[in-house]
Amino acid sequence: MALSGKSAVVTGAAMGIGKAMSEILLQNGAKVVLLDMNEAAGKSLQEALSKQYGQDRTLFLICNVESEEQMKAAFQKTVETFGGIDILCNNAGMLNESEWEKTVSVNLLGVIRGTYVALQHMNKLTGGRGGVIVNTASLAGLGPLPSCPVYTATKHAVVGFTRAMAGASAASGYGIRFNALCPGFVQTDLLSNILARLGPFSHLEALTQTFMDKGVINTSDVAKCLLELVTDETKNGEALIVKSDLKMYMPFPTEPKTPK
Ligand SMILES: NC(=O)C1=CN([C@@H]2O[C@H](COP(=O)(O)OP(=O)(O)OC[C@H]3O[C@@H](n4cnc5c(N)ncnc54)[C@H](O)[C@@H]3O)[C@@H](O)[C@H]2O)C=CC1
Ligand SMILES: CCCCCC(=O)/C=C/C=C\C=C\C=C\[C@@H](O)[C@@H](O)CCCC(=O)O
């Protein structure tokens, strides 16, 4: 998929990985709608990106992915402004094992909500022009982080949901590819205040640190992987792992065709 003229929506776009995703999509010719609940950071980023890439290439909309009303309004505004949606990055996420219900609401329900709201606009069967949806999961979506079991659960669910939607889309003719992005530790605010974020599992912080000591990558490393999943039209149902010493597609076992 060539990105020139394409329109993208990025959730959690104001900071961290989402900010890097937005930048690489703009660098490659797309128009980008930045969705975030952090109004100050979002407006500041839009101003900076507009100066760098042009006034008509970015739009910031304050939006909480937990809100059906706000998500529907944001996607409708995107279509009205840029004529449609070709790319969705369900990236917004949080980590707080004390606020575990909110963690589920943002990390999992927010991804499902973004997907279903976008389908109304992207699905070729309902007048859309197809495209690609990339869900930001995590390496913790492929193997457990004992210090954050709920966060781990949400990311495993995002991987499973993404792969199932990829199959549903291919079988139904939606014309939309679905892929998961599974980074290891990335240098963003999400890694700050880890003890508080681990809540009842803060006593396992040292264990987590042993994983983190294996290497922390930059947001730009993740953004390059996003670009690969967006532009390579052969990718559907994939989970792309990216960490300090490895970049690979998860080799999921294929279902046995007949019992042995
Ligand atoms: N930092 C890391 O080590 C890794 C992060 N991830 C995932 O990457 C994604 C982005 O995280 P980071 O950039 O690291 O974190 P971050 O904290 O730097 O950025 C997250 C952004 O999402 C926004 N956000 C949070 N809740 C929201 C909501 N309800 N509605 C709208 N926006 C919301 C925040 O305002 C912020 O701008 C998350 O899904 C996270 O789980 C995955 C693997 C590793
Ligand atoms: C502390 C929470 C960080 C939240 C951000 C995030 O998603 C970071 C994830 C980074 C790494 C996840 C690693 C998961 C490892 C498991 O897959 C498993 O392999 C660990 C098995 C233990 C081992 O490696 O020996």
Side-chain angles (χ1 to χ4, degrees):
M1 172 193 273
L3 295 193
S4 180
K6 294 291 193 291
S7 69
V9 175
V10 180
T11 71
M15 298 166 63
I17 292 168
K19 176 180 175 185
M21 287 177 166
S22 303
E23 289 169 336
I24 203 166
L25 290 169
L26 284 161
Q27 286 163 12
N28 285 272
K31 294 166 280 188
V32 179
V33 175
L34 315 165
L35 303 186
D36 205 295
M37 64 182 196
N38 185 329
E39 185 172 11
K43 281 183 172 176
S44 172
L45 178 60
Q46 183 195 1
E47 286 167 16
L49 294 176
S50 293
K51 283 179 185 162
Q52 187 170 2
Y53 297 103
Q55 292 300 322
D56 60 347
R57 299 273 311 283
T58 61
L59 171 65
F60 168 69
L61 298 172
I62 188 164
C63 180
N64 183 338
V65 298
E66 295 181 273
S67 165
E68 184 85 5
E69 180 185 2
Q70 292 182 29
M71 289 282 269
K72 283 185 172 178
F75 282 69
Q76 183 58 37
K77 182 68 175 176
T78 298
V79 172
E80 290 167 2
T81 305
F82 290 145
I85 301 171
D86 304 288
I87 302 158
L88 170 60
C89 302
N90 284 310
N91 170 75
M94 65 174 281
L95 165 64
N96 189 317
E97 291 296 316
S98 295
E99 293 184 54
W100 59 269
E101 289 169 313
K102 186 174 181 63
T103 299
V104 173
S105 177
V106 173
N107 293 6
L108 175 56
L109 305 191
V111 169
I112 296 169
R113 183 170 296 108
T115 297
Y116 286 176
V117 172
L119 266 179
Q120 296 166 26
H121 299 285
M122 295 175 71
N123 187 347
K124 281 188 174 179
L125 301 182
T126 54
R129 49 200 196 199
V132 57
I133 295 178
V134 180
N135 297 324
T136 305
S138 165
L139 196 53
L142 298 170
L145 271 176
S147 59
C148 40
V150 171
Y151 179 86
T152 295
T154 66
K155 295 304 184 177
H156 273 66
V158 167
V159 171
F161 174 72
T162 304
R163 296 180 67 211
M165 284 305 301
S169 181
S172 307
Y174 295 163
I176 303 169
R177 296 182 288 115
F178 291 80
N179 292 294
L181 196 45
C182 297
F185 295 100
V186 187
Q187 198 55 60
T188 73
D189 274 15
L190 196 81
L191 298 189
S192 65
N193 307 313
I194 277 286
L195 275 179
R197 292 175 186 271
L198 298 184
F201 301 94
S202 60
H203 58 286
L204 299 179
E205 191 268 343
L207 174 62
T208 303
Q209 191 59 52
T210 63
F211 295 154
M212 217 177 286
D213 290 345
K214 294 178 181 176
V216 180
I217 60 178
N218 296 319
T219 57
S220 57
D221 301 314
V222 183
K224 288 170 190 165
C225 290
L226 168 81
L227 189 64
E228 181 172 317
L229 289 173
V230 166
T231 55
D232 185 341
E233 298 190 60
T234 68
K235 302 304 182 193
N236 186 42
E238 301 285 357
L240 179 52
I241 296 166
V242 55
K243 55 181 189 169
S244 57
D245 57 352
L246 177 71
K247 175 190 161 225
M248 67 172 273
Y249 287 92
M250 181 70 182
F252 292 108
T254 52
E255 289 302 315
K257 292 290 184 288
T258 54
K260 294 201 185 311

